[in-house]
Amino acid sequence: MKLATWNVNSLKVRLPHLVDWLDAAQPDVMCLQETKLEDGKFPGAELEAAGFQAAFAGQKTYNGVALLARAAPQDVAVAIPRFADEQKRVAAATVGDTRVICLYAPNGQAVGSDKYAYKLRWYAALRDWLADELARHPRLAVLGDLNIAPEDRDVHDPKAWEGQVHCSEPERAAFRALLALGLQDAFRLFEQPEKSFSWWDYRVVAFRRNAGLRIDHILLSKELATQCVACSIDKAPRKLERPSDHTPVVAELRS
DNA sequence: ATGGCGCGCGCAGCGCGA
C-alpha cells in the first residue's frame, strides 16, 4: 500500500498537476492540504475519473483538507473531537484495515503571536486525540503538512531559523510528543539524502538554492512502521510551471 | 535573499502562507 501527502496550495489551480501525479505515482491513499475550496466546489468527478473516492472538509480561501482513496473512506471524521475550531484542518477515515489521518497544522505565523498560541493548543488537542485513535487503531497513519521542522537537519540554514516559527523548541516538543505516543517518522526509518526538504519559499528563488524545510510528514504506528519499506520526497512537481510550494511525500507499506 | 511569490477574493490591493 502506498500512502502520500501533498500540500497543493489550491486544489483548483493544482488539479492538473495532481491528476498527473496520481497517474504516475499510483498511490492508494492521497492526503491533500490547503485545498482552499468550499465543499460544493470539490472536484469529485475529476478525482473519481482518476480512480479515487474522497473524504474532505473545505472552506473558502483558507485551509481545507481532503483524503483520497481507491476504496471508499469509512468512519470519516473532519475535526479533532472536543476541540472547537472553525478552520478545516482534519480529515480522517478508515481505508480497508488502516486508519488514516490527514492534517494541515496551523502555520503559527511568529513565535509569541496569537496564531502561535493557537498552533500549540491545536497540537495539544491533536496529541490527546491521536492517543485515543492509536488505542483503537493499531494500524494508524498520520500524514500532512505539520508545519514543524523536527530537527536541525530538516532546515536548510538552522542558524538563521533557530528559535523561529516551525523550528522553535515548543513546536519541536509538540512533534516529539506525537512520536512519544508510539508514532514513527517514516522518512527517518531510512537513509536519506542530506538536505532533504518538502517546502521551498516561492520568494527568494528558494527552490533553486534548495533553501527549504522538511515540514510535510508521514507518521506511522509501530505496526505500520514495521511494514514500511520506503519513504521519499518527490521533488519533480516542484519543477513544473506554477508549482505548489510543497512537494509530495510518499511511504510504501509491504502488504 | 522574508518587500521580492502565489493564491483567493474580486476588480484594487490586501491577508495569508512558512
Side-chain angles (χ1 to χ4, degrees), chain A residues 139-174:
Chain A
R139 298 178 58 82
L140 180 72
V142 178
L143 302 89
D145 176 357
L146 298 187
N147 265 322
I148 297 173
E151 301 177 55
D152 278 354
R153 61 177 165 163
D154 302 312
V155 181
H156 70 97
D157 184 348
K159 259 283 191 280
W161 281 85
E162 187 177 2
Q164 301 298 309
V165 73
H166 300 94
C167 304
S168 72
E169 187 44 38
E171 290 166 275
R172 287 179 168 177

Side-chain angles (χ1 to χ4, degrees), chain A residues 77-85 87 89-91 101 103 106 121-130:
Chain A
V78 293
I80 299 173
R82 299 175 298 283
F83 182 71
D85 194 354
Q87 303 185 25
R89 300 184 174 278
V90 175
I101 298 184
L103 299 173
R121 279 202 315 279
W122 187 90
Y123 262 100
L126 175 67
R127 194 217 74 92
D128 291 348
W129 179 42
L130 292 184

Side-chain angles (χ1 to χ4, degrees), chain A residues 32-183:
Chain A
L32 304 174
Q33 301 87 35
E34 288 207 81
T35 56
K36 298 185 176 179
L37 283 176
E38 288 174 301
D39 289 348
K41 297 186 175 175
F42 190 81
E46 289 88 339
L47 293 169
E48 197 168 320
F52 291 89
Q53 301 189 56
F56 50 87
Q59 64 187 96
K60 196 192 277 191
T61 310
Y62 303 118
N63 309 314
V65 287
L67 194 164
L68 313 183
R70 296 191 183 275
Q74 308 286 335
D75 297 321
V76 172
V78 293
I80 299 173
R82 299 175 298 283
F83 182 71
D85 194 354
E86 297 296 308
Q87 303 185 25
K88 304 300 187 188
R89 300 184 174 278
V90 175
T94 300
V95 179
D97 58 0
T98 302
R99 187 70 174 166
V100 181
I101 298 184
C102 169
L103 299 173
Y104 174 50
N107 173 297
Q109 195 180 49
V111 174
S113 67
D114 289 349
K115 288 176 183 170
Y116 182 79
Y118 161 66
K119 183 176 190 173
L120 295 181
R121 279 202 315 279
W122 187 90
Y123 262 100
L126 175 67
R127 194 217 74 92
D128 291 348
W129 179 42
L130 292 184
D132 292 344
E133 287 285 295
L134 267 168
R136 292 168 52 199
H137 306 283
R139 298 178 58 82
L140 180 72
V142 178
L143 302 89
D145 176 357
L146 298 187
N147 265 322
I148 297 173
E151 301 177 55
D152 278 354
R153 61 177 165 163
D154 302 312
V155 181
H156 70 97
D157 184 348
K159 259 283 191 280
W161 281 85
E162 187 177 2
Q164 301 298 309
V165 73
H166 300 94
C167 304
S168 72
E169 187 44 38
E171 290 166 275
R172 287 179 168 177
F175 186 90
R176 289 194 301 270
L178 304 187
L179 302 186
L181 295 173
L183 293 168

